[in-house]
Amino acid sequence: MKDLIRFEYKKMCNGISIVSLVALSILTVLFAIVTLNLQYRTIDSDGNVVNGLASFRALKEVSEDLEGVLDGKYIRGLIEKYDSSYDKAYLAENRGFLGTGGMTKYIVSNYVINYAYYGLYMSNGNEKVGLDYDFLDSEESFYQKYREAVLEQLLYVNAENGLFPHSEEQIPVLEQKIQNIKTPFQIAYHMGWANVFGYFGMEYPVFFIILAFCLSGCYAKDSTNGMDELILSSICGRKRDMQARWIAGNLFTVVFYMIYVLVLIAVHGGNASLHGLGASAQTFWFECLHNFSVGTALLIVFFGGLAGALVMANLVMLLSIKLKNAKLTTVFGIIAVVLMFRQASTYSQIKMLNPLQFKESALLTDFLFVGNAIVPYFVIALLLSAAYITVCWLVLRLSYKKYRLN
């Protein structure tokens, strides 16, 4: 069986799949270099504005003195540094700087503080980095204000878009969960990982489309690596070969997904560094309820993305065995991705069922109540992925004996 799986896997690593992977890698590199070079700039240690790709390294260098624990002492020192900084004076005179790709070393620390004030209305921009707030008089008052902002946002989102409104018994459970957020936060520069996460989300649907191309011929009768009379001549051989194709298809997806993610990490790590994995997740995803570091949170995102990719792979293989035509399977696979993308752009909570959502910030910020227990969305995403894959596999198995070339 191992030899058969290996044989089927090698057949999947054909010219189309290799070209697709290379094309995605080139797209990843070019997309990152072009957009980051055109859009971003920062203020360096000498008060100069550095443009393009070099701005990220400059930002890392000037951010070193702001790394630390966001406690009362840190807040007092931060206020003193910011009030006397060139950055504050520059932002006062250049109102569009942070809203148009500008960066300052204060965005990590000051954004999380401003979230405590703005809550669900938080965004980027010059007006979101100020520190003139009464709640900064003490560490306790800041984190109390921060927790209030998280609660307000989560309740508002549930009231507006939730299919299952929180009951009176569930709200105290949510409040306790928010109180259990570990403080004080760890502050660190993490723009390299922010870029990895952002571009991963933008390119993820493209990976789904590539799976539609690469796996469409898996069970098709018009493909060089598809089905023929010899494979179907034996009932035992038919079963073994079809199982091997399913295993090889999933293995192919895992390997190609890992290559894609590693290329993404290499590109943005080489540009902006991979520093900041130890920072608190709340400095990245403000309303995150889990006591994760940025590194742990990103690991969950990547695992969620893999789960979604495996769902797409199994859907394509199911279409392949039902349609028996590689071209039709590719077309219907792409249509499925388009429909997923459109549905993922809505605000309804129903999009939690969408595999394209399994790589979003929602993995770390969303949840559902089961009774009075909070179930994180990343757990729901993994369970949904397992259910989707199981259904595809069962339907696929039912198609074994009924498969005919004519």
Side-chain angles (χ1 to χ4, degrees):
M1 188 66 172
K2 290 182 180 179
D3 291 336
L4 190 55
I5 294 171
R6 188 182 300 111
F7 175 70
E8 294 296 342
Y9 178 80
K10 287 182 179 179
K11 289 201 302 184
M12 291 177 184
C13 295
N14 52 35
I16 293 177
S17 60
I18 297 300
V19 169
S20 298
L21 182 61
V22 171
L24 179 59
S25 299
I26 293 174
L27 171 67
T28 298
V29 175
L30 293 179
F31 187 39
I33 290 176
V34 172
T35 54
L36 292 177
N37 193 52
L38 289 176
Q39 296 179 5
Y40 289 89
R41 57 200 183 282
T42 193
I43 303 170
D44 67 10
S45 56
D46 298 321
N48 300 315
V49 175
V50 181
N51 295 286
L53 299 177
S55 62
F56 291 97
R57 290 290 176 171
L59 182 63
K60 180 182 182 298
E61 181 182 339
V62 297
S63 297
E64 291 177 356
D65 67 327
L66 290 182
E67 292 198 8
V69 178
L70 189 58
D71 55 14
K73 180 180 179 181
Y74 182 99
I75 292 173
R76 291 189 294 273
L78 178 67
I79 294 173
E80 292 178 4
K81 288 180 181 179
Y82 181 69
D83 285 344
S84 61
S85 69
Y86 175 82
D87 301 59
K88 181 178 181 180
Y90 183 88
L91 294 176
E93 296 178 1
N94 298 271
R95 300 302 302 168
F97 182 78
L98 289 181
T100 55
M103 300 182 292
T104 167
K105 68 179 183 178
Y106 294 99
I107 54 178
V108 176
S109 56
N110 290 31
Y111 271 177
V112 71
I113 287 175
N114 274 264
Y115 173 78
Y117 178 79
Y118 287 100
L120 60 96
Y121 302 105
M122 181 63 186
S123 63
N124 63 343
N126 296 39
E127 70 277 8
K128 301 297 194 302
V129 291
L131 299 175
D132 188 20
Y133 302 118
D134 292 338
F135 60 78
L136 294 180
D137 290 342
S138 70
E139 176 183 339
E140 293 75 15
S141 60
F142 161 63
Y143 283 109
Q144 179 60 33
K145 183 68 173 175
Y146 166 83
R147 289 184 170 95
E148 291 173 359
V150 173
L151 179 62
E152 179 186 12
Q153 176 167 348
L154 295 180
L155 292 179
Y156 175 83
V157 171
N158 177 259
E160 290 295 311
N161 306 316
L163 295 176
F164 310 102
H166 299 327
S167 67
E168 293 183 2
E169 294 79 15
Q170 291 170 342
I171 293 177
V173 177
L174 177 59
E175 291 175 338
Q176 185 58 51
K177 183 70 174 179
I178 295 172
Q179 288 298 320
N180 290 339
I181 295 174
K182 184 180 178 180
T183 58
F185 298 149
Q186 183 71 38
I187 300 293
Y189 162 91
H190 48 54
M191 286 303 299
W193 288 110
N195 291 342
V196 169
F197 176 75
Y199 281 77
F200 174 67
M202 287 187 283
E203 298 172 15
Y204 189 65
V206 179
F207 186 75
F208 272 38
I209 292 175
I210 286 178
L211 290 177
F213 275 100
C214 295
L215 298 178
S216 61
C218 187
Y219 294 100
K221 62 182 182 180
D222 64 336
S223 172
T224 55
N225 63 327
M227 308 298 292
D228 55 33
E229 291 86 350
L230 182 62
I231 293 170
L232 298 175
S233 62
S234 168
I235 295 177
C236 181
R238 174 197 298 242
K239 180 178 179 181
R240 282 166 53 84
D241 186 81
M242 287 193 172
Q243 288 179 344
R245 288 169 184 268
W246 181 80
I247 296 172
N250 283 283
L251 181 61
F252 173 91
T253 302
V254 172
V255 172
F256 270 49
Y257 176 84
M258 291 178 63
I259 293 173
Y260 161 57
V261 171
L262 288 175
V263 169
L264 197 67
I265 291 174
V267 170
H268 293 287
N271 176 48
S273 88
L274 299 177
H275 187 74
L277 286 175
S280 299
Q282 286 75 17
T283 65
F284 197 126
W285 302 274
F286 301 131
E287 68 273 31
C288 178
L289 299 179
H290 312 291
N291 294 320
F292 295 151
S293 65
V294 167
T296 301
L298 286 171
L299 196 60
I300 289 173
V301 169
F302 292 142
F303 269 112
L306 176 58
L310 288 172
V311 172
M312 181 61 191
N314 279 268
L315 175 60
V316 173
M317 288 189 284
L318 179 59
L319 288 172
S320 179
I321 201 170
K322 287 298 184 182
L323 299 174
K324 302 178 185 179
N325 185 291
K327 296 183 179 63
L328 277 178
T329 300
T330 302
V331 170
F332 277 94
I334 293 174
I335 291 174
V337 176
V338 172
L339 293 176
M340 289 181 199
F341 184 80
R342 292 182 62 181
Q343 198 277 331
S345 302
T346 64
Y347 292 100
S348 172
Q349 220 174 10
I350 196 71
K351 69 181 180 181
M352 295 177 76
L353 303 175
N354 190 333
L356 272 183
Q357 283 292 109
F358 296 172
K359 47 75 186 173
E360 292 286 344
S361 299
L363 283 173
L364 306 168
T365 60
D366 287 8
F367 57 89
L368 285 178
F369 271 102
V370 178
N372 288 334
I374 292 178
V375 181
Y377 181 48
F378 62 83
V379 174
I380 297 171
L382 293 177
L383 292 175
L384 284 173
S385 297
Y388 292 154
I389 292 171
T390 300
V391 170
C392 288
W393 163 243
L394 291 176
V395 177
L396 200 74
R397 286 190 62 184
L398 292 175
S399 303
Y400 284 176
K401 296 181 179 180
K402 298 179 181 179
Y403 195 100
R404 298 289 184 273
L405 289 178
N406 298 311

